[in-house]
Amino acid sequence: MTVLEADTAKALDADATWWRSAVIYQVYVRSFADGNGDGTGDLAGVRQHLRYLKDLGVDAIWFNPWYPSPLADGGYDVSDYRDIHPAFGTLQEAELLISEALELDIRTIIDIVPNHISDQHPWFQAALAAGPGSPERERFWFHPGLGDNGDEMPTHWVSNFAGDTWTRTTNPDGTPGEWYLHLFTPEQPDLNWNHPDVVAEHESILRFWFDRGVAGVRIDSAGLLIKDAALPEVPENPGPGQHPTEDRDEVHDVYRSWRRIADSYEGTRVLVGEVWVPDAKRFADYLRPDEMHTAFNFDFMSRPWGAAEFRASIDLMLAAHAPVGAPSTWVLSNHDVTRPVTRYGREDSSFAFVKKRFGTPTDLELGTRRARAAALLTAALPGSLYLYQGDELGLPEVELPVDLLQDPMHFRSGGVDPGRDGCRVPLPWRGVEQPFGFSPDDAASRPWLPQPADWSSLTVQAQQADPSSMLWLYRQALRIRRRDDELGDGSLSWLDLGADVLAFSRGSHFVCVTNLSDHAIALPEHESILISSSPLDENGLLPQDSTAWLRTTA
């Protein structure tokens, strides 16, 4: 299939504003479900569980990179954008998955990684072979070193994974050569977005996947594409647009071009940015009507547990999105972030990559209670909702043995950071022992990362019949959200129930109350309780660290 069939185009065109209120489920393919028994998740496994996602209540699936890759960084080092990694399946399977999901009214969003490619990509291999001054090297950031012998790196920019951002090549005669830029690992050379080949290639990649029916793309590291060609060092306090590698003004030209391509297709094909920009105005600039549709809101996810912090984040994000008319997104975690039930049970419940350390204690009972409350809180906020696979099961972060870790963030931290593998452990589907249905029962291979032996109570099978489970909570909440016109996109009105309580109304009949105080509270007058993250106590009060959705009279 190279072009959309008529029924597929019709399905994509059914709701032009679907993305404004959508519930989008992130699939990390390696860890979702293993269909062929080799221990690695694959597209066959996803296809087998599409009905699970339909029953959960999602509107779209976002896939992490599923392309051929050496997996130096979990697939974010892409060697071919027009195919599927052999461990995951085939291009034909991907096309079938997109079509089968659409039959269940589930759209597909794929990951695009425009900042860099794999060092095994044909372009980079050609650049290495061609040598200094060649046209092939102009697609990247090759540069002579500083100092008498070129032994010093061109800049002292710091990698997003810690460490250096330049690696020196070796000439065919064995002598030291030029240096090349990589804002992540050395296996991920940065592309030069000033080069027309780079621009044209990515526009072609967009069309390739839109032609196959994907409803949108998630853009990795969206603010990093453009670099200052003068290669200055990073100023101590760079002004807006003045950082040499981050959030430069010219990057918006790229996304205006991509938006024109997306808008040329039937149905709404969305652009979703991974935009780590602390300035709210600069963040919103990516969401102007001729650029991206939405971007991940990482501010809320990073905040510590508390009413003042959450209220400030919600107000900040809603105010930032309002001038450009874009809906906010609400995210509790993803494939890079410590899982909520672990994070919210820690003394410091905020999140920052630089703070991750082995052995950080957590209270999983407290964390689970708070994660349940946060799930209902975020699902009630205006805009779209992103769920990371396994959060609907209440999976904790897994602290894996050091010899099993694969994440480059661990190695480039000097071994002090446990990295991100702990939130990427394969999902438990059924049974009482590993691999908990992740692989077929007769599989000879073990999952690529081991699951804790005590996960039997967290399987889908165990939770789907338990009204007190996390899965039950998510399913019920998403059903209510889908049928209630006052939820999803729109606005909210704050209610004053005290400094440590977040309460707001959506429309005339819906109220969300989250109790972040240290005691139970009385709920405001209501007609019924739609759902509550914790049972009310014997006095009919909402316990601390709990959220309730109320149906009220007009």
Side-chain angles (χ1 to χ4, degrees):
M1 179 175 67
T2 58
V3 294
L4 287 176
E5 301 292 344
D7 56 345
T8 303
K10 182 178 179 181
L12 286 170
D13 200 30
D15 180 2
T17 60
W18 66 271
W19 51 280
R20 298 188 67 91
S21 299
V23 175
I24 301 170
Y25 186 95
Q26 180 188 354
V27 169
Y28 192 78
V29 180
R30 291 178 85 185
S31 299
F32 185 75
D34 168 22
N36 63 10
D38 65 358
T40 297
D42 48 38
L43 300 188
V46 179
R47 291 173 64 198
Q48 292 167 9
H49 292 290
L50 285 175
R51 175 52 62 177
Y52 167 79
L53 298 175
K54 176 67 174 179
D55 292 342
L56 181 60
V58 307
D59 301 295
I61 312 169
W62 155 38
F63 286 91
N64 288 94
W66 55 11
Y67 316 103
S69 165
L71 301 178
D73 180 24
Y76 283 88
D77 48 319
V78 179
S79 56
D80 183 355
Y81 262 116
R82 295 175 178 83
D83 205 349
I84 299 297
H85 194 293
F88 301 156
T90 65
L91 181 59
Q92 182 181 23
E93 282 185 284
E95 293 168 342
L96 287 171
L97 192 159
I98 294 166
S99 177
E100 290 166 355
L102 268 178
E103 291 176 3
L104 295 173
D105 295 322
I106 298 174
R107 292 171 168 85
T108 296
I109 297 172
I110 61 168
D111 225 311
I112 296 290
V113 190
N115 180 68
H116 49 263
I117 55 177
S118 167
D119 62 353
Q120 300 305 304
H121 190 286
W123 275 13
F124 192 70
Q125 289 296 304
L128 291 177
S134 63
E136 289 86 352
R137 290 202 171 187
E138 292 176 359
R139 295 167 171 161
F140 301 92
W141 290 95
F142 282 90
H143 203 277
L146 303 179
D148 293 339
N149 299 312
D151 294 335
E152 299 177 29
M153 292 181 295
T155 73
H156 294 90
W157 298 344
V158 178
S159 168
N160 282 265
F161 287 167
D164 299 329
T165 58
W166 295 89
T167 291
R168 198 168 193 183
T169 62
T170 301
N171 293 322
D173 62 2
T175 58
E178 291 184 316
W179 299 73
Y180 69 88
L181 175 67
H182 50 85
L183 293 186
F184 293 86
T185 70
E187 295 83 4
Q188 296 167 285
D190 279 38
L191 290 163
N192 176 10
W193 273 86
N194 298 319
H195 197 290
D197 286 358
V198 175
V199 174
E201 171 68 358
H202 282 79
E203 292 180 351
S204 174
I205 290 166
L206 286 181
R207 292 188 177 95
F208 180 89
W209 288 106
F210 285 155
D211 287 344
R212 279 156 180 79
V214 303
V217 296
R218 177 263 191 188
I219 306 163
D220 181 71
S221 301
L224 303 183
L225 276 56
I226 305 299
K227 281 79 173 177
D228 187 336
L231 302 184
E233 295 295 347
V234 179
E236 183 174 351
N237 294 297
Q242 297 305 306
H243 193 288
T245 71
E246 298 176 7
D247 185 38
R248 298 187 63 79
D249 293 340
E250 302 92 330
V251 77
H252 296 282
D253 294 333
V254 175
Y255 301 125
R256 290 188 184 98
S257 173
W258 287 21
R259 181 61 177 263
R260 288 192 293 270
I261 293 172
D263 288 349
S264 72
Y265 282 80
E266 293 186 60
T268 304
R269 312 302 178 91
V270 300
L271 307 180
V272 183
E274 184 197 28
V275 182
W276 293 86
V277 177
D279 182 272
K281 170 60 171 62
R282 300 283 298 185
F283 173 85
D285 283 346
Y286 289 83
L287 305 177
R288 289 174 286 199
D290 61 345
E291 296 191 42
M292 299 180 192
H293 295 76
T294 64
F296 288 121
N297 165 15
F298 294 119
D299 185 84
F300 185 89
M301 176 186 73
S302 302
R303 299 275 183 147
W305 187 262
E309 290 282 353
F310 284 176
R311 171 78 182 258
S313 181
I314 294 167
D315 283 341
L316 176 69
M317 287 299 105
L318 293 181
H321 286 76
V324 290
S328 183
T329 63
W330 303 100
V331 184
L332 289 179
S333 73
N334 58 38
H335 64 290
D336 292 332
V337 176
T338 303
R339 286 199 180 269
V341 300
T342 297
R343 190 171 79 243
Y344 285 141
R346 290 176 170 170
E347 183 177 357
D348 180 357
S349 56
S350 63
F351 177 80
F353 286 112
V354 296
K355 296 191 300 183
K356 293 188 72 172
R357 293 294 182 270
F358 287 102
T360 305
T362 187
D363 180 342
L364 283 180
E365 182 179 350
L366 173 63
T368 298
R369 188 167 67 248
R370 288 176 168 179
R372 290 173 63 90
L376 292 190
L377 170 60
T378 52
L381 291 170
S384 58
L385 178 67
Y386 279 80
L387 310 177
Y388 176 50
Q389 66 178 42
D391 282 353
E392 80 277 13
L393 302 177
L395 299 185
E397 187 84 358
V398 180
E399 190 152 297
L400 295 157
V402 173
D403 61 341
L404 295 179
L405 295 178
Q406 301 184 28
D407 183 18
M409 288 193 80
H410 164 69
F411 299 103
R412 289 176 67 84
S413 73
V416 301
D417 182 341
R420 299 163 295 175
D421 291 328
C423 65
R424 301 174 178 181
V425 172
L427 298 189
W429 290 93
R430 63 180 186 279
V432 295
E433 60 184 11
Q434 299 182 63
F436 298 112
F438 171 72
S439 298
D441 293 338
D442 59 353
S445 300
R446 297 180 178 180
W448 72 282
L449 288 175
Q451 303 150 309
D454 62 356
W455 269 16
S456 59
S457 64
L458 297 177
T459 66
V460 172
Q461 183 183 58
Q463 293 195 48
Q464 61 189 359
D466 179 6
S468 68
S469 70
M470 186 76 82
L471 178 58
W472 189 280
L473 180 82
Y474 267 88
R475 283 182 172 176
Q476 292 300 108
L478 297 187
R479 286 184 185 127
I480 296 169
R481 177 186 165 104
R482 180 178 293 275
R483 70 171 183 249
D484 194 324
D485 292 338
E486 294 180 328
L487 296 178
D489 192 22
S491 60
L492 65 72
S493 297
W494 290 108
L495 306 175
D496 185 6
L497 298 183
D500 294 320
V501 179
L502 288 183
F504 55 85
S505 63
R506 301 292 313 278
S508 303
H509 302 284
F510 179 93
V511 167
C512 177
V513 179
T514 302
N515 179 13
L516 296 108
S517 72
D518 59 2
H519 58 274
I521 62 167
L523 292 169
E525 184 177 348
H526 57 276
E527 184 178 278
S528 62
I529 298 176
L530 298 173
I531 191 172
S532 178
S533 66
S534 303
L536 302 189
D537 69 14
E538 63 274 12
N539 298 313
L541 303 179
L542 182 67
Q544 66 185 94
D545 300 322
S546 301
T547 297
W549 288 1
L550 311 178
R551 172 64 62 203
T552 64
T553 56

